[in-house]
Amino acid sequence: LFDGDPAMAPSTAWPLADAHVLKFDRLHIDTDSGSIRFPDGFQNVQPSAAALQMVQFVGPVKDAWLDQLRSAGATPIQYIDSNGYLVWADASARSKLRAMEGDRRIVHFSEPLPAFIKLGNSLFDLLQSDTQDASPVPVFVQRYRHDGDVAGRQRFSDLGLKPNVDWSPLLGYEVARFEANAEQIRQIIEWPDV
């Protein structure tokens, strides 16, 4: 497997198409670009506490590399095509992941999960619309289950939201259905475990 200038590849190498791209449902992130381009209306908010973090490895994922993430204090949650993982990381783990990224032996890219990536197409379009109103729309919220689950659920109540369909476990997550307006959705997607 080879990523780079095809002229430099050994004759027996298989080129890796888009090895430097993290592929999410709605968009792709080019991890070689140097920075994530944020759409209008979204900010690059750096978390101070534990939060979801994107990591891309220098090649196809190896168990030893996942062990290295765990040793750094990050919890691998879910694979992201191509060669990536969504992890749960506190400030200390994020610092170690940045050092691993700088070293380039295991980690190629590491950044907090931006809020706009959490949205499906229709909700993204709603938040980009100039004609936002206060009408609630149905939304499903998926949040990572962790030690702060009680406080995490309380944030929804504090926002005036009550699940239409209560929280149900789904692998390392829990999912619930709400009716939320655009402003409430904007707040929800900024939460570190959503």
Side-chain angles (χ1 to χ4, degrees), residues 104-167:
R104 293 276 196 226
R105 288 186 306 178
I106 295 172
V107 174
H108 171 72
F109 174 85
S110 179
E111 285 290 326
L113 182 67
F116 69 92
I117 291 178
K118 302 173 186 181
L119 296 168
N121 289 333
S122 60
L123 290 178
F124 180 80
D125 291 345
L126 172 71
L127 295 186
Q128 291 291 288
S129 169
D130 292 334
T131 59
Q132 292 180 23
D133 62 29
S135 300
V137 295
V139 295
F140 282 91
V141 176
Q142 178 175 288
R143 60 181 294 277
Y144 175 62
R145 289 185 289 157
H146 57 91
D147 293 341
D149 279 347
V150 172
R153 287 181 179 181
Q154 183 60 45
R155 291 186 309 227
F156 290 87
S157 297
D158 294 347
L159 202 52
L161 296 173
K162 181 176 186 247
N164 295 347
V165 176
D166 208 0
W167 294 104

